[in-house]
Amino acid sequence: VALVPSDGLLRIGEVASAAGVSTRTVDFYTSLGLVEPAARSAGNYRLYEPVAAERIALIQRLEGHGIGLDDIAAALRGEAGSAPRRLEDLQRDLPVLQAGDDAHGLLAAVTARAHALISTALDIAAGLPPAPL
Amino acid sequence: VALVPSDGLLRIGEVASAAGVSTRTVDFYTSLGLVEPAARSAGNYRLYEPVAAERIALIQRLEGHGIGLDDIAAALRGEAGSAPRRLEDLQRDLPVLQAGDDAHGLLAAVTARAHALISTALDIAAGLPPAPL
DNA sequence: TTGCTCCTCACGTCACGTGAGGTGGC
DNA sequence: TTGCTCCTCACGTCACGTGAGGTGGC
């Protein structure tokens, strides 16, 4: 039995297991436009490019940072402010934080979250391509 | 009529309006241990220090960054990792991000959020004291 | 009396899925 | 037949409050 379409596209179940989520979640994300099938099979099955699984995994990481699906969707659509300017601001501000004494809980918590976000940003910048949907 | 306790402490309604939230919210946060009355009046009214209002305003800002009340509570309790180490990591990673070309939407969105978090961290470091609860 | 507060129990809301169930392709 | 998929409508869950209602202090 040919379980995989010969063109390398994946059906929903394959995308789901590759991304580590349920097919219902892939279905849900698709309905929100967070991922989009590259094609439909003759039998109306949605066919995704393999990169869709990475995209879904990325969405899950972003959600883990408290970023809502609406914001993620907007970002994926390419709506954005100026990242470079913001990065300069961060560069300027970090020494101020470092100059402070051993941070108390809140500062540490906020910093930890910012750190996790930067890590995610680095992953995006380094690995996953601009994702042509 | 003496609306304010003579010792400078505030009743729940005063804290609420100073923080820009409802008394129910102050009540709720108090029940979670996010703020704590400094005393009780003879009639069992909760009496808060004025700084409690700032604390509540801070909690609201943190919530705006997607940080849950449980995490905030833990942070306020002083549980924390090593902020300085994380700040060094950020310092190291930022140039990598800046070296990239004009970021696409996702990167910009994540960076924006990190930026907002750092701003909040700076506010904490600069202004609001370690808050002896 | 008026407007505040206390406390408790239940309900509301929003985001994020998830279940179920009837469908057709493989 | 089996296990996949499609689609839709409704339900579940968790976090975060909010409403209401009976209480006593001011």
Side-chain angles (χ1 to χ4, degrees):
Chain A
V1 207
L3 288 177
V4 179
S6 48
D7 50 11
L9 297 178
L10 307 176
R11 288 181 317 198
I12 194 169
E14 295 157 341
V15 172
S17 66
V21 300
S22 70
T23 59
R24 291 295 286 111
T25 296
V26 179
D27 190 25
F28 180 57
Y29 284 3
T30 302
S31 77
L32 296 182
L34 290 167
V35 279
E36 201 169 278
R40 291 274 182 166
S41 75
N44 201 33
Y45 286 12
R46 286 172 287 216
L47 300 173
Y48 299 87
E49 300 195 36
V51 73
E54 294 174 54
R55 193 177 167 104
I56 289 167
L58 174 59
I59 291 167
Q60 299 259 310
R61 268 189 295 152
L62 293 172
E63 282 199 81
H65 295 312
I67 301 179
L69 293 179
D70 280 0
D71 288 351
I72 295 173
L76 288 170
R77 263 183 263 113
E79 301 168 14
S82 163
R85 177 85 212 93
R86 287 207 169 91
L87 289 171
E88 282 171 38
D89 291 346
L90 292 185
Q91 192 88 321
R92 192 199 61 222
D93 291 343
L94 280 174
V96 179
L97 280 175
Q98 282 182 305
D101 51 359
D102 248 28
H104 72 278
L106 263 179
L107 181 52
V110 170
T111 304
R113 184 162 285 250
H115 182 251
L117 280 168
I118 294 289
S119 295
T120 299
L122 284 169
D123 288 350
I124 296 170
L128 311 179
L133 196 68
Chain B
V1 209
L3 290 176
V4 178
S6 49
D7 49 11
L9 297 178
L10 306 175
R11 288 182 317 198
I12 195 169
E14 295 156 343
V15 171
S17 66
V21 300
S22 70
T23 60
R24 291 294 286 113
T25 297
V26 178
D27 191 25
F28 180 57
Y29 283 4
T30 303
S31 77
L32 297 182
L34 290 168
V35 280
E36 202 169 277
R40 291 275 182 164
S41 75
N44 201 34
Y45 285 13
R46 287 173 286 217
L47 300 173
Y48 298 88
E49 300 196 34
V51 73
E54 294 173 53
R55 193 177 166 106
I56 288 167
L58 174 60
I59 291 168
Q60 299 258 311
R61 269 189 295 152
L62 293 172
E63 282 199 82
H65 295 312
I67 301 178
L69 293 180
D70 280 0
D71 287 351
I72 295 173
L76 287 170
R77 264 183 261 113
E79 300 166 14
S82 165
R85 178 87 213 91
R86 287 206 169 92
L87 288 171
E88 282 170 39
D89 290 346
L90 291 186
Q91 192 88 322
R92 191 198 61 220
D93 291 342
L94 280 175
V96 179
L97 280 175
Q98 283 182 305
D101 52 358
D102 248 28
H104 71 280
L106 264 179
L107 181 51
V110 170
T111 304
R113 184 163 285 252
H115 181 252
L117 281 168
I118 294 288
S119 295
T120 299
L122 283 169
D123 287 352
I124 296 170
L128 311 178
L133 195 69

